[in-house]
Amino acid sequence: MSQSVGRALAILPMLAEGPAGLEQVATRLGVHKTTAMRLLRTLHEHGLVYRQDDQRYRLGARLFALAQAAAESLDVREIAHPHLVRLGEATGHTVHLAVYEDREVMYIDKVDSRYPVRMYSRIGRPVAITVAAVAKLLLADLPEPERRAVAERLEYPMYTPRSTPDAQALLAELAAVREQGWAADFGGHEESINCIGAPIRGADGRTAAACSLSAPNVVVTADELMTLLPQLRRTAAAISDDYSGRVPA
Amino acid sequence: MSQSVGRALAILPMLAEGPAGLEQVATRLGVHKTTAMRLLRTLHEHGLVYRQDDQRYRLGARLFALAQAAAESLDVREIAHPHLVRLGEATGHTVHLAVYEDREVMYIDKVDSRYPVRMYSRIGRPVAITVAAVAKLLLADLPEPERRAVAERLEYPMYTPRSTPDAQALLAELAAVREQGWAADFGGHEESINCIGAPIRGADGRTAAACSLSAPNVVVTADELMTLLPQLRRTAAAISDDYSGRVPA
DNA sequence: AGGTTGGTTGCGCACCGCGCAACGTGCATT
DNA sequence: AATGCACGTTGCGCGGTGCGCAACCAACCT
């Protein structure tokens, strides 16, 4: 909507892929290097980008502060955290917390597995939205039109043979998830990793967030993981209670 | 440098303090609401702000992804992390990692204490720059003119009677720190919390980061904490070795 | 030395972003 | 139920501002 602002903001994801010099930024943006420089300067003044010694730009430390503030304003996270830690300690597996926002599902918290095998997932990483258990839970509760719109606009990468192949399959899966009140992903994202998830509901009954328990096959089988489902659901329910007890913003 | 971009970016720290409506943003920015709206829309399109149900804006989830990417591009962090975890497990106390960037010192990693008493510090929070051990270490190694410039431009809040009172005191302290190769903060930030820190040096010998060990008086006295100094310094040295062994970006 | 690549500065044109005014819309108040 | 109010939204014409050009530097390579 606003040209220069749009261009400036487009620089950020560019730099997220790695540091870049002025010329590089300019060509990738499709603007004159003078223009790119003015934008970068402004970003720099606000601490969003940093100029390293070799004169290349990378993302700045101020982003930490902003992300931190963003996290704090999501009060689900604050409330859920101790519950997740407890679940992590009790089971020893990796625990995730995710929310849906603007057609994307994002991890907003994580408790690492006690086992040496650590999964490659990170707070802030966009979730594999077509397969992850938390994604299914969050999508399942969207109002029908948005759910369809999102499902049809998605890409369906076949991470493994068990990945959700297309919109139709996803929508069917979502219906099942909505029905049963929990979700699973058995090797749909990475062949050897299984995952189960449960919804966290706000005072209005809508799914405000979702949490999950993940473990690789080498540690526990899918069946063994499923025995933890009641415990996971109890945790999710406890968080829901805590969360819906609060006065809504 | 670029008006509209500057205005747009000024919105972010505003929203960091809490959600705000259009009118509120406009007045605080000192612009017409229609202008504020265009800026917010652009920010929204790029995922940096999110519009919640009550039409107020707050920081968006995309910030997580950017902050995450920013963290990854700081390879000190990747390298240091396992060392810090080990130190945390060995001592049981809180471990911090911080870097200096553009007149600010930021925490970029943290390992929580095993004890129930948890400190209020957060990755992304700006550090109490005049007193924290890590801050002194990082400032101590700046080139003389920048060090002076920073010291003189700072504010010197007296968190406690032991806080560094002014620029002169800070500069003297920095000289001592540079001399002895480590730093301490005994109750200068919070009365009952002590902290010791050590520098992490890059291949060029410059201080690239600093790590610290903090604990409240109720757990260990300052003297007891000091007995851990050699261990802390060994950790810092190990990280330095790892770090300077790498090919510099 | 000369060439090349990449960053910086000055400047005039026009485009883009600005604020105004008018219009919706939902909530509160009577 | 009607009226008022507060706040968000849309259309539009003017002018400032952000644009790209061109020329200048500096560093590095050959």
Side-chain angles (χ1 to χ4, degrees):
Chain A
M1 206 89 238
S2 177
Q3 191 187 57
S4 52
V5 178
R7 285 172 170 174
L9 299 184
I11 292 177
L12 297 178
M14 259 183 60
L15 294 185
E17 295 166 21
L22 173 60
E23 179 94 359
Q24 201 177 343
V25 171
T27 45
R28 288 186 61 181
L29 262 189
V31 301
H32 197 270
K33 39 180 189 169
T34 292
T35 306
M37 184 164 145
R38 238 168 320 107
L39 300 176
L40 281 165
R41 278 217 183 127
T42 313
L43 288 168
H44 179 77
E45 278 167 19
H46 289 256
L48 296 192
V49 309
Y50 177 70
R51 186 148 206 204
Q52 45 189 22
D53 300 334
D54 58 357
Q55 288 191 324
R56 293 191 308 164
Y57 295 89
R58 62 169 173 72
L59 296 179
R62 185 68 53 83
L63 278 169
F64 290 104
L66 290 172
Q68 183 53 41
E72 282 177 11
S73 75
L74 298 173
D75 42 15
V76 204
R77 186 176 189 271
E78 302 291 312
I79 295 169
H81 190 76
H83 293 274
L84 301 181
V85 169
R86 236 170 290 137
L87 182 62
E89 283 170 356
T91 64
H93 302 304
T94 304
V95 183
H96 278 114
L97 179 70
V99 293
Y100 172 86
E101 184 176 309
D102 266 339
R103 287 168 244 285
E104 285 182 8
V105 174
M106 301 285 286
Y107 290 124
I108 58 171
D109 204 357
K110 177 185 182 183
V111 178
D112 269 315
S113 162
R114 186 188 308 132
Y115 299 95
V117 195
R118 301 240 314 230
M119 299 174 51
Y120 190 64
S121 76
R122 279 271 171 82
I123 297 175
R125 274 295 152 108
V127 176
I129 197 171
T130 58
V131 296
V134 287
K136 292 181 201 165
L137 287 159
L138 292 164
L139 295 179
D141 192 55
L142 292 180
E144 153 72 12
E146 187 174 1
R147 189 168 64 233
R148 281 187 69 89
V150 171
E152 279 163 13
R153 211 182 297 178
L154 285 178
E155 309 222 333
Y156 291 84
M158 296 301 285
Y159 306 106
T160 78
R162 294 190 184 186
S163 298
T164 310
D166 54 31
Q168 197 185 346
L170 180 62
L171 288 170
E173 174 81 7
L174 294 185
V177 165
R178 197 163 48 250
E179 194 61 33
Q180 69 192 3
W182 55 274
D185 162 33
F186 296 131
H189 183 40
E190 294 192 41
E191 193 65 66
S192 63
I193 293 190
N194 298 315
C195 174
I196 54 177
I200 293 163
R201 301 181 193 279
D204 53 1
R206 297 282 315 277
T207 301
C211 60
S212 70
L213 212 43
S214 314
N217 262 323
V218 296
V219 176
V220 293
T221 65
D223 285 347
E224 286 165 345
L225 187 61
M226 281 298 289
T227 64
L228 299 173
L229 180 59
Q231 192 171 2
L232 170 65
R233 299 186 77 179
R234 276 197 301 276
T235 297
I239 299 171
S240 300
D241 289 346
D242 262 22
Y243 182 56
S244 51
R246 276 176 84 88
V247 280
Chain B
M1 206 90 237
S2 177
Q3 190 186 59
S4 53
V5 177
R7 285 173 171 175
L9 298 184
I11 292 177
L12 297 177
M14 260 182 61
L15 294 184
E17 293 166 21
L22 174 60
E23 180 97 357
Q24 200 177 344
V25 170
T27 45
R28 289 186 59 182
L29 260 189
V31 301
H32 198 268
K33 49 182 180 169
T34 190
T35 304
M37 184 165 137
R38 240 170 317 107
L39 300 176
L40 281 165
R41 277 213 183 135
T42 314
L43 288 167
H44 178 77
E45 280 168 19
H46 289 256
L48 296 192
V49 308
Y50 177 69
R51 186 147 208 207
Q52 45 189 22
D53 299 336
D54 58 357
Q55 289 192 325
R56 292 191 309 164
Y57 295 89
R58 62 169 172 74
L59 295 179
R62 184 67 52 86
L63 279 169
F64 290 104
L66 289 173
Q68 183 53 42
E72 283 178 11
S73 74
L74 298 173
D75 42 16
V76 204
R77 186 176 190 272
E78 302 289 312
I79 294 168
H81 191 75
H83 294 275
L84 302 181
V85 170
R86 237 170 289 139
L87 182 63
E89 284 171 355
T91 64
H93 302 306
T94 303
V95 183
H96 277 115
L97 180 70
V99 293
Y100 171 86
E101 183 176 309
D102 267 339
R103 290 168 240 285
E104 286 181 7
V105 174
M106 300 284 286
Y107 290 123
I108 58 171
D109 204 358
K110 178 184 184 186
V111 178
D112 269 314
S113 161
R114 186 188 309 130
Y115 299 95
V117 195
R118 301 239 314 227
M119 300 173 52
Y120 190 65
S121 76
R122 278 271 172 82
I123 295 175
R125 273 295 153 107
V127 176
I129 197 170
T130 58
V131 296
V134 288
K136 293 180 200 165
L137 286 159
L138 291 164
L139 294 179
D141 192 55
L142 291 181
E144 153 71 13
E146 185 173 3
R147 188 168 64 234
R148 281 186 70 88
V150 171
E152 279 164 14
R153 211 181 299 177
L154 284 178
E155 310 222 334
Y156 292 83
M158 294 302 284
Y159 306 107
T160 77
R162 295 190 184 186
S163 298
T164 310
D166 53 32
Q168 197 185 347
L170 180 62
L171 287 170
E173 173 81 8
L174 295 186
V177 165
R178 198 163 48 248
E179 194 62 32
Q180 69 191 5
W182 56 274
D185 162 33
F186 296 131
H189 183 41
E190 294 192 42
E191 195 63 67
S192 63
I193 292 191
N194 299 316
C195 174
I196 54 176
I200 292 163
R201 302 182 192 279
D204 53 1
R206 299 282 314 278
T207 301
C211 59
S212 71
L213 213 44
S214 315
N217 263 324
V218 296
V219 176
V220 293
T221 66
D223 286 347
E224 287 165 344
L225 187 60
M226 281 298 288
T227 64
L228 297 174
L229 180 59
Q231 193 170 2
L232 170 65
R233 297 186 78 179
R234 275 198 300 277
T235 298
I239 298 171
S240 300
D241 288 346
D242 262 22
Y243 182 56
S244 49
R246 278 175 81 90
V247 281

